[in-house]
């Protein structure tokens, strides 16, 4: 459910030309999914019908279920995250697997399907995959055995090691050989040495950290509690928190989008059954916050920095399929897209 605009040092880099360079320095035509917007539909619990839609903003063409379309089989999972890393797109399902596809044509190139429980996100470092995983539930539905799964190679395979971390790890961020982990339940940032495959440092932060992002040349981590949101700017070289900017807000969620000029769009929700939701525009530049939009059923948000549009996903209470509304930065409604079950995130290319 997390927002996908992590900006992990170029992981979501925009493509402005019709050709891209391959590993040998030559040029090759871009695939049909190398540009546009990928819409992540989480899917419904029990039916496990998560899928990805593709939107061509220039024509308005929306293509449904592109994983199944290109691989002749359903995705068959609850889609938690999409991560673009090193010319591969990783589809993370919290039902216990990671599917790896070529981002240009969405053809499968590998997977991780063994030894995972509830994976949340993924990062690549030192030629390995690091997958955050809640671990199994215990009898009280707690997750005391959360871990980071390590897979040798970038094209999937088996889990070679599980690194114990604090409960409910979420987003990951890579700086050189170090993998930063957002430990949401215990308010910790844990730093893993990818070569040693062990935690090298732990930092306590305010709130529940869930998402790393880059803004104005700095790396931040977003966290929240019941009545506040926090933005921690990080000093990567000294592995410390430089400063914390906090804003009082009721019912914040883990879903945000990074805009321009230090703007962050934060979603608030009372949750079931009321679903009274708001989107707050926060400015890290001048430490201000204002209401940007109110409504009901907001389940994800993204910002297309190339085209200057805001995408808001609405789950419709999981009563059938959801929809995505596209807005100008001033909130003007541009279009509505009928998408899959539980739309929750976007990847802009």
């Amino acid at each position: 459910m997390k927002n996908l605009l992590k900006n992990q040092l170029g992981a979501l880099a925009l493509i402005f030309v019709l050709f891209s360079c391959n590993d040998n320095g030559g040029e090759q035509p871009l695939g049909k999914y190398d540009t546009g917007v990928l819409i992540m539909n989480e899917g419904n619990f029990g039916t496990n019908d998560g899928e990805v839609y593709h939107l061509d903003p220039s024509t308005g063409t929306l293509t449904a279920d592109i994983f199944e379309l290109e691989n002749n089989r359903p995705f068959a999972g609850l889609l938690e995250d999409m991560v673009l890393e090193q010319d591969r797109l990783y589809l993370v399902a919290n039902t216990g697997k990671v599917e790896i596809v070529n981002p240009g044509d969405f053809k499968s190139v590998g997977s991780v399907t063994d030894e995972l429980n509830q994976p949340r996100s993924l990062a690549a470092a030192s030629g390995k995959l690091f997958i955050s995983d809640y671990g199994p539930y215990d009898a009280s539905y707690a997750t005391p055995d959360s871990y980071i799964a390590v897979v040798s190679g970038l094209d999937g395979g088996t889990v070679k090691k599980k690194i114990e971390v604090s409960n409910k790890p979420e987003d990951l961020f890579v700086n050189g050989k170090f993998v930063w982990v957002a430990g949401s339940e215990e308010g910790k940032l844990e730093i893993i040495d990818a070569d040693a495959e062990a935690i090298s440092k732990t930092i306590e932060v305010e709130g529940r950290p869930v998402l790393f992002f880059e803004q104005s040349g700095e790396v931040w981590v977003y966290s929240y509690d019941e009545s506040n949101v926090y933005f921690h700017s990080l000093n990567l070289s000294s592995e410390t928190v430089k400063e914390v900017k906090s804003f009082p807000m009721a019912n914040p969620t883990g879903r945000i989008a990074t805009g321009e000029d230090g703007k962050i769009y934060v979603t608030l929700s009372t949750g079931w059954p009321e679903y009274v939701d708001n989107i707050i525009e926060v400015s890290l530049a001048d430490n201000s916050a204002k209401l940007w939009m109110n409504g009901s059923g907001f389940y994800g948000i993204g910002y297309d920095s190339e085209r200057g549009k805001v995408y808001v996903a609405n789950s419709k209470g999981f009563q059938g399929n959801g929809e995505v509304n596209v807005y100008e930065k001033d909130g003007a409604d541009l279009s509505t897209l009928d998408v899959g079950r539980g739309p929750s995130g976007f990847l802009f290319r």
Side-chain angles (χ1 to χ4, degrees), residues 175-186:
N175 178 44
K177 71 168 187 171
F178 295 102
V179 181
W180 292 60
V181 181
S184 65
E185 190 166 88
E186 298 179 50

Side-chain angles (χ1 to χ4, degrees), residues 2 120 132-134 143 146-148 164-173 179-192 199 201-212 221-224 232:
K2 66 174 71 63
R120 304 293 292 179
S132 56
D133 198 306
Y134 279 7
T143 57
S146 296
Y147 58 87
I148 303 298
E164 182 179 350
V165 294
S166 60
N167 292 348
K168 292 184 171 55
E170 294 285 356
D171 199 20
L172 304 170
F173 176 83
V179 181
W180 292 60
V181 181
S184 65
E185 190 166 88
E186 298 179 50
K188 295 179 179 179
L189 303 181
E190 289 154 300
I191 304 173
I192 292 174
I199 294 175
K201 186 172 183 178
T202 299
I203 305 168
E204 294 189 357
V205 296
E206 294 184 75
R208 299 190 289 270
V210 292
L211 184 69
F212 296 97
V221 63
Y222 165 70
S223 65
Y224 66 99
H232 305 77

